[in-house]
PDB file of all heavy atoms in Angstrom:
ATOM      1  N   LEU A 348      31.765  41.588   1.748  1.00  0.00           N
ATOM      2  CA  LEU A 348      32.050  42.725   2.630  1.00  0.00           C
ATOM      3  C   LEU A 348      33.522  43.132   2.498  1.00  0.00           C
ATOM      4  O   LEU A 348      33.840  44.324   2.401  1.00  0.00           O
ATOM      5  CB  LEU A 348      31.722  42.335   4.079  1.00  0.00           C
ATOM      6  CG  LEU A 348      32.000  43.393   5.139  1.00  0.00           C
ATOM      7  CD1 LEU A 348      31.094  44.615   4.951  1.00  0.00           C
ATOM      8  CD2 LEU A 348      31.813  42.827   6.548  1.00  0.00           C
ATOM      9  N   LEU A 349      34.385  42.125   2.434  1.00  0.00           N
ATOM     10  CA  LEU A 349      35.826  42.375   2.289  1.00  0.00           C
ATOM     11  C   LEU A 349      36.093  43.221   1.033  1.00  0.00           C
ATOM     12  O   LEU A 349      36.804  44.237   1.087  1.00  0.00           O
ATOM     13  CB  LEU A 349      36.562  41.034   2.201  1.00  0.00           C
ATOM     14  CG  LEU A 349      38.035  41.046   1.767  1.00  0.00           C
ATOM     15  CD1 LEU A 349      38.894  41.758   2.808  1.00  0.00           C
ATOM     16  CD2 LEU A 349      38.552  39.626   1.574  1.00  0.00           C
ATOM     17  N   ASP A 350      35.479  42.798  -0.086  1.00  0.00           N
ATOM     18  CA  ASP A 350      35.655  43.541  -1.336  1.00  0.00           C
ATOM     19  C   ASP A 350      35.190  44.984  -1.192  1.00  0.00           C
ATOM     20  O   ASP A 350      35.853  45.920  -1.644  1.00  0.00           O
ATOM     21  CB  ASP A 350      34.859  42.866  -2.462  1.00  0.00           C
ATOM     22  CG  ASP A 350      35.552  41.599  -2.949  1.00  0.00           C
ATOM     23  OD1 ASP A 350      36.780  41.493  -2.738  1.00  0.00           O
ATOM     24  OD2 ASP A 350      34.857  40.723  -3.514  1.00  0.00           O
ATOM     25  N   LYS A 351      34.035  45.149  -0.537  1.00  0.00           N
ATOM     26  CA  LYS A 351      33.462  46.497  -0.401  1.00  0.00           C
ATOM     27  C   LYS A 351      34.323  47.378   0.490  1.00  0.00           C
ATOM     28  O   LYS A 351      34.527  48.558   0.214  1.00  0.00           O
ATOM     29  CB  LYS A 351      32.030  46.406   0.143  1.00  0.00           C
ATOM     30  CG  LYS A 351      31.105  45.923  -0.977  1.00  0.00           C
ATOM     31  CD  LYS A 351      29.654  46.133  -0.670  1.00  0.00           C
ATOM     32  CE  LYS A 351      28.862  45.790  -1.940  1.00  0.00           C
ATOM     33  NZ  LYS A 351      27.688  44.993  -1.706  1.00  0.00           N
ATOM     34  N   ILE A 352      34.831  46.799   1.581  1.00  0.00           N
ATOM     35  CA  ILE A 352      35.674  47.578   2.492  1.00  0.00           C
ATOM     36  C   ILE A 352      36.963  47.994   1.775  1.00  0.00           C
ATOM     37  O   ILE A 352      37.389  49.155   1.826  1.00  0.00           O
ATOM     38  CB  ILE A 352      36.004  46.782   3.779  1.00  0.00           C
ATOM     39  CG1 ILE A 352      34.734  46.565   4.600  1.00  0.00           C
ATOM     40  CG2 ILE A 352      37.048  47.508   4.617  1.00  0.00           C
ATOM     41  CD1 ILE A 352      34.907  45.650   5.807  1.00  0.00           C
ATOM     42  N   LYS A 353      37.545  47.009   1.055  1.00  0.00           N
ATOM     43  CA  LYS A 353      38.812  47.307   0.355  1.00  0.00           C
ATOM     44  C   LYS A 353      38.603  48.384  -0.711  1.00  0.00           C
ATOM     45  O   LYS A 353      39.513  49.158  -1.020  1.00  0.00           O
ATOM     46  CB  LYS A 353      39.370  46.030  -0.284  1.00  0.00           C
ATOM     47  CG  LYS A 353      40.022  45.101   0.722  1.00  0.00           C
ATOM     48  CD  LYS A 353      41.320  45.701   1.257  1.00  0.00           C
ATOM     49  CE  LYS A 353      41.685  45.101   2.601  1.00  0.00           C
ATOM     50  NZ  LYS A 353      42.776  45.831   3.257  1.00  0.00           N
ATOM     51  N   GLU A 354      37.398  48.422  -1.254  1.00  0.00           N
ATOM     52  CA  GLU A 354      37.083  49.391  -2.305  1.00  0.00           C
ATOM     53  C   GLU A 354      36.879  50.788  -1.704  1.00  0.00           C
ATOM     54  O   GLU A 354      37.413  51.779  -2.200  1.00  0.00           O
ATOM     55  CB  GLU A 354      35.799  48.907  -2.984  1.00  0.00           C
ATOM     56  CG  GLU A 354      35.417  49.624  -4.263  1.00  0.00           C
ATOM     57  CD  GLU A 354      34.031  49.157  -4.725  1.00  0.00           C
ATOM     58  OE1 GLU A 354      33.833  47.928  -4.885  1.00  0.00           O
ATOM     59  OE2 GLU A 354      33.139  50.012  -4.877  1.00  0.00           O
ATOM     60  N   ARG A 355      36.137  50.837  -0.601  1.00  0.00           N
ATOM     61  CA  ARG A 355      35.771  52.132  -0.035  1.00  0.00           C
ATOM     62  C   ARG A 355      36.756  52.622   1.034  1.00  0.00           C
ATOM     63  O   ARG A 355      36.950  53.823   1.213  1.00  0.00           O
ATOM     64  CB  ARG A 355      34.359  52.067   0.550  1.00  0.00           C
ATOM     65  CG  ARG A 355      33.310  52.062  -0.569  1.00  0.00           C
ATOM     66  CD  ARG A 355      31.945  51.609  -0.081  1.00  0.00           C
ATOM     67  NE  ARG A 355      31.405  52.498   0.937  1.00  0.00           N
ATOM     68  CZ  ARG A 355      30.209  52.299   1.519  1.00  0.00           C
ATOM     69  NH1 ARG A 355      29.475  51.257   1.145  1.00  0.00           N
ATOM     70  NH2 ARG A 355      29.768  53.132   2.436  1.00  0.00           N
ATOM     71  N   PHE A 356      37.288  51.686   1.805  1.00  0.00           N
ATOM     72  CA  PHE A 356      38.224  52.069   2.869  1.00  0.00           C
ATOM     73  C   PHE A 356      39.496  51.238   2.741  1.00  0.00           C
ATOM     74  O   PHE A 356      39.766  50.366   3.575  1.00  0.00           O
ATOM     75  CB  PHE A 356      37.595  51.839   4.257  1.00  0.00           C
ATOM     76  CG  PHE A 356      36.167  52.306   4.372  1.00  0.00           C
ATOM     77  CD1 PHE A 356      35.117  51.400   4.319  1.00  0.00           C
ATOM     78  CD2 PHE A 356      35.876  53.666   4.545  1.00  0.00           C
ATOM     79  CE1 PHE A 356      33.804  51.819   4.440  1.00  0.00           C
ATOM     80  CE2 PHE A 356      34.553  54.093   4.660  1.00  0.00           C
ATOM     81  CZ  PHE A 356      33.514  53.172   4.602  1.00  0.00           C
ATOM     82  N   PRO A 357      40.303  51.523   1.748  1.00  0.00           N
ATOM     83  CA  PRO A 357      41.446  50.640   1.483  1.00  0.00           C
ATOM     84  C   PRO A 357      42.450  50.560   2.634  1.00  0.00           C
ATOM     85  O   PRO A 357      43.163  49.564   2.761  1.00  0.00           O
ATOM     86  CB  PRO A 357      42.087  51.252   0.234  1.00  0.00           C
ATOM     87  CG  PRO A 357      41.401  52.528  -0.039  1.00  0.00           C
ATOM     88  CD  PRO A 357      40.188  52.641   0.800  1.00  0.00           C
ATOM     89  N   HIS A 358      42.493  51.546   3.504  1.00  0.00           N
ATOM     90  CA  HIS A 358      43.496  51.521   4.571  1.00  0.00           C
ATOM     91  C   HIS A 358      43.061  50.668   5.763  1.00  0.00           C
ATOM     92  O   HIS A 358      43.870  50.378   6.637  1.00  0.00           O
ATOM     93  CB  HIS A 358      43.791  52.958   5.052  1.00  0.00           C
ATOM     94  CG  HIS A 358      42.551  53.642   5.533  1.00  0.00           C
ATOM     95  ND1 HIS A 358      41.632  54.216   4.668  1.00  0.00           N
ATOM     96  CD2 HIS A 358      42.066  53.819   6.786  1.00  0.00           C
ATOM     97  CE1 HIS A 358      40.649  54.731   5.382  1.00  0.00           C
ATOM     98  NE2 HIS A 358      40.879  54.504   6.663  1.00  0.00           N
ATOM     99  N   ILE A 359      41.771  50.276   5.827  1.00  0.00           N
ATOM    100  CA  ILE A 359      41.317  49.428   6.942  1.00  0.00           C
ATOM    101  C   ILE A 359      41.754  48.001   6.679  1.00  0.00           C
ATOM    102  O   ILE A 359      41.530  47.469   5.596  1.00  0.00           O
ATOM    103  CB  ILE A 359      39.784  49.489   7.102  1.00  0.00           C
ATOM    104  CG1 ILE A 359      39.350  50.918   7.472  1.00  0.00           C
ATOM    105  CG2 ILE A 359      39.313  48.502   8.179  1.00  0.00           C
ATOM    106  CD1 ILE A 359      37.869  51.085   7.668  1.00  0.00           C
ATOM    107  N   GLN A 360      42.367  47.398   7.712  1.00  0.00           N
ATOM    108  CA  GLN A 360      42.777  45.998   7.561  1.00  0.00           C
ATOM    109  C   GLN A 360      41.611  45.072   7.873  1.00  0.00           C
ATOM    110  O   GLN A 360      40.807  45.359   8.756  1.00  0.00           O
ATOM    111  CB  GLN A 360      43.938  45.704   8.508  1.00  0.00           C
ATOM    112  CG  GLN A 360      45.214  46.366   8.022  1.00  0.00           C
ATOM    113  CD  GLN A 360      46.407  45.874   8.772  1.00  0.00           C
ATOM    114  OE1 GLN A 360      46.311  45.548   9.957  1.00  0.00           O
ATOM    115  NE2 GLN A 360      47.551  45.844   8.103  1.00  0.00           N
ATOM    116  N   VAL A 361      41.537  43.998   7.091  1.00  0.00           N
ATOM    117  CA  VAL A 361      40.431  43.043   7.279  1.00  0.00           C
ATOM    118  C   VAL A 361      40.993  41.629   7.410  1.00  0.00           C
ATOM    119  O   VAL A 361      41.836  41.223   6.617  1.00  0.00           O
ATOM    120  CB  VAL A 361      39.449  43.097   6.083  1.00  0.00           C
ATOM    121  CG1 VAL A 361      38.267  42.136   6.324  1.00  0.00           C
ATOM    122  CG2 VAL A 361      38.941  44.516   5.839  1.00  0.00           C
ATOM    123  N   SER A 362      40.527  40.909   8.439  1.00  0.00           N
ATOM    124  CA  SER A 362      40.866  39.488   8.553  1.00  0.00           C
ATOM    125  C   SER A 362      39.569  38.681   8.562  1.00  0.00           C
ATOM    126  O   SER A 362      38.544  39.149   9.050  1.00  0.00           O
ATOM    127  CB  SER A 362      41.642  39.195   9.839  1.00  0.00           C
ATOM    128  OG  SER A 362      42.987  39.567   9.646  1.00  0.00           O
ATOM    129  N   MET A 363      39.638  37.490   7.994  1.00  0.00           N
ATOM    130  CA  MET A 363      38.432  36.671   7.899  1.00  0.00           C
ATOM    131  C   MET A 363      38.424  35.597   8.990  1.00  0.00           C
ATOM    132  O   MET A 363      39.469  35.078   9.389  1.00  0.00           O
ATOM    133  CB  MET A 363      38.337  35.965   6.535  1.00  0.00           C
ATOM    134  CG  MET A 363      38.499  36.868   5.321  1.00  0.00           C
ATOM    135  SD  MET A 363      37.493  38.359   5.368  1.00  0.00           S
ATOM    136  CE  MET A 363      35.859  37.648   5.297  1.00  0.00           C
ATOM    137  N   ILE A 364      37.206  35.320   9.455  1.00  0.00           N
ATOM    138  CA  ILE A 364      37.029  34.213  10.400  1.00  0.00           C
ATOM    139  C   ILE A 364      35.957  33.311   9.795  1.00  0.00           C
ATOM    140  O   ILE A 364      34.857  33.771   9.490  1.00  0.00           O
ATOM    141  CB  ILE A 364      36.513  34.716  11.769  1.00  0.00           C
ATOM    142  CG1 ILE A 364      37.479  35.748  12.347  1.00  0.00           C
ATOM    143  CG2 ILE A 364      36.319  33.552  12.729  1.00  0.00           C
ATOM    144  CD1 ILE A 364      36.954  36.433  13.598  1.00  0.00           C
ATOM    145  N   SER A 365      36.306  32.040   9.578  1.00  0.00           N
ATOM    146  CA  SER A 365      35.289  31.183   8.938  1.00  0.00           C
ATOM    147  C   SER A 365      35.276  29.767   9.488  1.00  0.00           C
ATOM    148  O   SER A 365      36.305  29.231   9.884  1.00  0.00           O
ATOM    149  CB  SER A 365      35.546  31.134   7.428  1.00  0.00           C
ATOM    150  OG  SER A 365      34.661  30.196   6.853  1.00  0.00           O
ATOM    151  N   ALA A 366      34.111  29.215   9.481  1.00  0.00           N
ATOM    152  CA  ALA A 366      33.975  27.812   9.882  1.00  0.00           C
ATOM    153  C   ALA A 366      34.460  26.912   8.757  1.00  0.00           C
ATOM    154  O   ALA A 366      34.777  25.755   8.967  1.00  0.00           O
ATOM    155  CB  ALA A 366      32.527  27.498  10.204  1.00  0.00           C
ATOM    156  N   TYR A 367      34.449  27.472   7.547  1.00  0.00           N
ATOM    157  CA  TYR A 367      34.882  26.679   6.398  1.00  0.00           C
ATOM    158  C   TYR A 367      36.306  27.061   6.016  1.00  0.00           C
ATOM    159  O   TYR A 367      36.525  27.994   5.260  1.00  0.00           O
ATOM    160  CB  TYR A 367      33.951  26.907   5.208  1.00  0.00           C
ATOM    161  CG  TYR A 367      32.514  26.593   5.551  1.00  0.00           C
ATOM    162  CD1 TYR A 367      31.596  27.612   5.762  1.00  0.00           C
ATOM    163  CD2 TYR A 367      32.088  25.274   5.670  1.00  0.00           C
ATOM    164  CE1 TYR A 367      30.284  27.327   6.088  1.00  0.00           C
ATOM    165  CE2 TYR A 367      30.782  24.987   5.996  1.00  0.00           C
ATOM    166  CZ  TYR A 367      29.879  26.019   6.200  1.00  0.00           C
ATOM    167  OH  TYR A 367      28.592  25.740   6.524  1.00  0.00           O
ATOM    168  N   GLY A 368      37.258  26.323   6.569  1.00  0.00           N
ATOM    169  CA  GLY A 368      38.667  26.683   6.333  1.00  0.00           C
ATOM    170  C   GLY A 368      39.207  26.057   5.067  1.00  0.00           C
ATOM    171  O   GLY A 368      40.299  25.503   5.060  1.00  0.00           O
ATOM    172  N   ASP A 369      38.424  26.109   4.004  1.00  0.00           N
ATOM    173  CA  ASP A 369      38.874  25.455   2.768  1.00  0.00           C
ATOM    174  C   ASP A 369      39.754  26.386   1.933  1.00  0.00           C
ATOM    175  O   ASP A 369      39.756  27.604   2.110  1.00  0.00           O
ATOM    176  CB  ASP A 369      37.672  25.014   1.949  1.00  0.00           C
ATOM    177  CG  ASP A 369      36.740  26.158   1.700  1.00  0.00           C
ATOM    178  OD1 ASP A 369      35.935  26.493   2.617  1.00  0.00           O
ATOM    179  OD2 ASP A 369      36.806  26.757   0.613  1.00  0.00           O
ATOM    180  N   GLN A 370      40.497  25.760   1.031  1.00  0.00           N
ATOM    181  CA  GLN A 370      41.452  26.484   0.185  1.00  0.00           C
ATOM    182  C   GLN A 370      40.781  27.568  -0.649  1.00  0.00           C
ATOM    183  O   GLN A 370      41.321  28.660  -0.806  1.00  0.00           O
ATOM    184  CB  GLN A 370      42.153  25.487  -0.751  1.00  0.00           C
ATOM    185  CG  GLN A 370      43.335  24.785  -0.116  1.00  0.00           C
ATOM    186  CD  GLN A 370      44.418  25.765   0.303  1.00  0.00           C
ATOM    187  OE1 GLN A 370      44.839  26.631  -0.461  1.00  0.00           O
ATOM    188  NE2 GLN A 370      44.843  25.660   1.564  1.00  0.00           N
ATOM    189  N   GLU A 371      39.592  27.248  -1.146  1.00  0.00           N
ATOM    190  CA  GLU A 371      38.913  28.174  -2.050  1.00  0.00           C
ATOM    191  C   GLU A 371      38.617  29.510  -1.377  1.00  0.00           C
ATOM    192  O   GLU A 371      38.927  30.581  -1.897  1.00  0.00           O
ATOM    193  CB  GLU A 371      37.612  27.526  -2.524  1.00  0.00           C
ATOM    194  CG  GLU A 371      37.147  28.068  -3.870  1.00  0.00           C
ATOM    195  CD  GLU A 371      35.866  27.382  -4.301  1.00  0.00           C
ATOM    196  OE1 GLU A 371      35.739  26.167  -4.021  1.00  0.00           O
ATOM    197  OE2 GLU A 371      35.017  28.056  -4.874  1.00  0.00           O
ATOM    198  N   ASN A 372      38.028  29.400  -0.131  1.00  0.00           N
ATOM    199  CA  ASN A 372      37.717  30.607   0.624  1.00  0.00           C
ATOM    200  C   ASN A 372      39.006  31.354   0.988  1.00  0.00           C
ATOM    201  O   ASN A 372      39.069  32.581   0.908  1.00  0.00           O
ATOM    202  CB  ASN A 372      36.981  30.242   1.915  1.00  0.00           C
ATOM    203  CG  ASN A 372      35.473  30.231   1.709  1.00  0.00           C
ATOM    204  OD1 ASN A 372      34.970  30.833   0.754  1.00  0.00           O
ATOM    205  ND2 ASN A 372      34.778  29.549   2.589  1.00  0.00           N
TER     206      ASN A 372
END
Side-chain angles (χ1 to χ4, degrees):
Chain A
L348 178 65
L349 168 66
D350 284 338
K351 285 195 172 136
I352 293 173
K353 284 291 157 191
E354 190 187 305
R355 285 164 62 180
F356 316 102
H358 58 280
I359 296 181
Q360 288 191 327
V361 182
S362 281
M363 309 311 295
I364 302 172
S365 174
Y367 303 105
D369 54 280
Q370 276 299 311
E371 205 179 324
N372 269 340

